[in-house]
Amino acid sequence: QGGGSAVIDMENMDDTSGSSFEDMGEMHQRMKEEEEEEAEGEAGAGEEEDGEFLGMKGLRGQLGRQVADQMWQAGKRQASRAFSLYANIDILRPYFDVEPAQVRARLLESMIPVKMINFPQKIAGELYGPLMLVFTLVAILLHGMKTSDTIIREGTLMGTAIGTCFGYWLGVSSFMYFLAYLCNAQITMVQMLSLLGYGLFGHCITLFITYNIHFHSLFYIFWLVVGGLSTLRMVAVLVSRTVGHTQRLILCGTLAALHMLFLLYLHFAYHKVVEGILDTLEGPNMPPFQRVARDIPVVSNAVLNTTAKAIALTL
């Protein structure tokens, strides 16, 4: 019995050992499966993280493109607004918004010198009157070219007249504004254009009368009286806006000399200069060659008769 029980115990031990081995194998297999599942889970998580990273990258790129487009549109709007600002006619409207009665009053005031120079005199900040006076001066110059002995060839001389008048108005105004800046005069560029433009009213009166009445003595009278009054008006206004005797002398002396000499140039030298320019550009003023029937002079007839008689006697 003792031997049989030992055999049974060994069998039981063998059965238990087999079952334990089987359990260990199953546990090992389960551990492998769990490790594989964990690895697969980690791989899936890594792929999800990569996808999220790529999605964030794409979102950032899209946001960057949107920001760049918005910046471009904003810059484009600002540029178009800047160009339209300079191209808009409403900017110039305040400089030309003036009544005819005001222009007439300012034309009369341009011939009357001011007496009070202790405080700055008022200058009209509009350009309608000066611009019309410049165009009027152009028309007077063209009229003077037609009434004089100047021969107009191949079109009109409007371009030369416009260049002369606008060149004087804009050029001298710019130069005087620069000089006024150096002399610490209280005047703006628009005020200088207005002041010099209204000062051309005396030039228009003088040239219109002297182009139709050709007397040099009459011109000198108008040059001193009419041109002198308009020049004194501008000088008095500049004196009232300038501090310092030296600055006043430089500024006002330069303006008076340029204004009075320009009137002399328009009356005496403008036509000759234009004729010289035309001769230089178009050649000398020579009439075209034409065949015209002319009578034979008496002397030529006598010579021919004498020659014919001599030939007849010889024969």
Side-chain angles (χ1 to χ4, degrees):
Q1 292 178 352
S5 61
V7 172
I8 292 170
D9 292 335
M10 290 295 292
E11 290 178 355
N12 291 333
M13 287 178 64
D14 293 337
D15 292 339
T16 55
S17 63
S19 61
S20 64
F21 279 118
E22 289 177 358
D23 293 339
M24 289 294 292
E26 291 178 359
M27 291 176 62
H28 185 66
Q29 186 68 24
R30 288 177 183 175
M31 289 177 65
K32 283 186 178 180
E33 290 177 357
E34 290 177 356
E35 288 178 357
E36 290 178 356
E37 290 178 357
E38 289 179 358
E40 289 177 358
E42 290 177 357
E47 291 178 357
E48 290 178 358
E49 289 179 357
D50 293 340
E52 291 177 357
F53 177 75
L54 292 175
M56 289 297 293
K57 246 179 121 179
L59 183 60
R60 289 177 182 175
Q62 187 176 2
L63 288 175
R65 286 194 296 271
Q66 290 180 357
V67 171
D69 292 338
Q70 290 178 359
M71 291 178 65
W72 169 258
Q73 293 296 333
K76 187 177 179 181
R77 285 194 299 269
Q78 289 180 359
S80 62
R81 192 181 300 115
F83 282 111
S84 63
L85 181 66
Y86 287 102
N88 197 355
I89 195 64
D90 291 336
I91 301 175
L92 300 176
R93 183 175 296 176
Y95 302 111
F96 294 90
D97 188 10
V98 61
E99 297 294 332
Q102 294 177 348
V103 176
R104 183 173 62 249
R106 288 166 184 170
L107 288 175
L108 295 177
E109 289 176 357
S110 66
M111 304 297 299
I112 303 173
V114 295
K115 297 180 180 180
M116 300 297 295
I117 59 175
N118 295 327
F119 57 92
Q121 295 293 323
K122 185 179 179 181
I123 302 175
E126 54 94 5
L127 300 177
Y128 176 78
L131 188 63
M132 293 300 105
L133 282 172
V134 173
F135 280 118
T136 304
L137 186 60
V138 170
I140 292 173
L141 289 179
L142 294 176
H143 174 70
M145 295 291 287
K146 292 180 180 180
T147 56
S148 64
D149 296 332
T150 305
I151 299 175
I152 301 176
R153 304 186 302 275
E154 297 184 3
T156 63
L157 301 174
M158 185 175 293
T160 307
I162 290 176
T164 301
C165 297
F166 275 92
Y168 172 78
W169 181 43
L170 298 176
V172 175
S173 297
S174 302
F175 175 72
M176 293 306 302
Y177 174 72
F178 174 72
L179 196 61
Y181 175 77
L182 295 179
C183 295
N184 294 325
Q186 300 176 0
I187 191 169
T188 63
M189 183 63 188
V190 176
Q191 290 175 341
M192 182 61 73
L193 287 170
S194 179
L195 183 65
L196 188 63
Y198 277 110
L200 293 174
F201 182 57
H203 287 35
C204 293
I205 295 174
T206 303
L207 293 176
F208 181 74
I209 294 175
T210 56
Y211 277 163
N212 293 287
I213 304 174
H214 300 282
F215 291 108
H216 292 298
S217 58
L218 181 65
F219 168 75
Y220 285 119
I221 293 173
F222 274 87
W223 179 67
L224 290 174
V225 177
V226 181
L229 287 176
S230 62
T231 304
L232 284 177
R233 167 74 182 189
M234 294 189 297
V235 166
V237 172
L238 284 181
V239 167
S240 66
R241 289 175 169 265
T242 309
V243 178
H245 297 287
T246 305
Q247 290 83 354
R248 288 178 176 179
L249 182 62
I250 294 174
L251 189 61
C252 299
T254 304
L255 179 60
L258 290 175
H259 202 64
M260 297 297 286
L261 290 176
F262 181 65
L263 183 55
L264 288 175
Y265 166 76
L266 292 179
H267 184 78
F268 291 106
Y270 174 72
H271 297 172
K272 296 180 180 179
V273 170
V274 172
E275 287 181 351
I277 293 173
L278 290 176
D279 290 338
T280 303
L281 297 177
E282 303 174 3
N285 185 20
M286 296 180 63
F289 179 75
Q290 295 180 355
R291 295 182 179 272
V292 181
R294 296 182 180 180
D295 297 331
I296 299 176
V298 179
V299 178
S300 300
N301 291 332
V303 171
L304 289 175
N305 292 332
T306 304
T307 305
K309 289 179 181 180
I311 293 173
L313 291 175
T314 303
L315 296 175

